Amino acid sequence: LASPHEAAPRLASFDPSAVAPFIGVGLFTFTGHDSTVAVVLSMGERKGEYSSILLALATAGVGVILAYALACAVLYGDETQGNILLSVDGGLAAGLKACMSVAVLFSLPVKMFPASQIVEEALFTHDTAAGEGA
């Protein structure tokens, strides 16, 4: 508790420059969630292997994230920001942001695959039973 003679800590005011990184990181974080349906549907008879593949990839992904976070904490020390990517600057930061953008870009066809199948089926399936009597 602060003594009556100490000033209360000030809350940081809203910083508009933080909105774009917040949205970008949020989009990247949740970009793979809706790809699950397309991946499982495309696995065919191997659907039973999905859980083991997901576990292996999640373990590897968490390991890479923890290693990166540890490296930033060691390299930047007390200056490490809450969003670790904001601690990195220069060419490395630009490279990381480019990799994130490419990952999101190439995930879009996978996400659109189930929707395109539904639309194609609705538009291009013909009722062959109705035309058989003619």
Side-chain angles (χ1 to χ4, degrees), residues 127-134:
D127 188 11
T128 56
E132 289 177 7

Side-chain angles (χ1 to χ4, degrees), residues 3-106:
S3 71
H5 303 293
E6 292 180 30
R10 289 194 62 195
L11 295 176
S13 61
F14 176 73
D15 181 12
S17 67
V19 173
F22 174 76
I23 292 172
V25 170
L27 286 174
F28 183 75
T29 301
F30 297 106
T31 191
H33 289 48
D34 56 352
S35 302
T36 304
V37 173
V39 171
V40 171
L41 288 176
S42 69
M43 290 183 75
E45 296 177 7
R46 299 178 62 189
K47 287 181 185 177
E49 297 176 31
Y50 179 75
S51 295
S52 58
I53 293 170
L54 179 63
L55 179 62
L57 290 174
T59 303
V62 168
V64 168
I65 291 169
L66 289 176
Y68 181 75
L70 181 63
C72 282
V74 168
L75 293 172
Y76 294 101
D78 291 338
E79 296 177 12
T80 304
Q81 297 184 30
N83 179 348
I84 296 174
L85 291 176
L86 295 177
S87 298
V88 183
D89 55 1
L92 179 60
L96 287 172
K97 290 175 185 176
C99 288
M100 289 172 65
S101 298
V102 168
V104 170
L105 178 69
F106 286 127

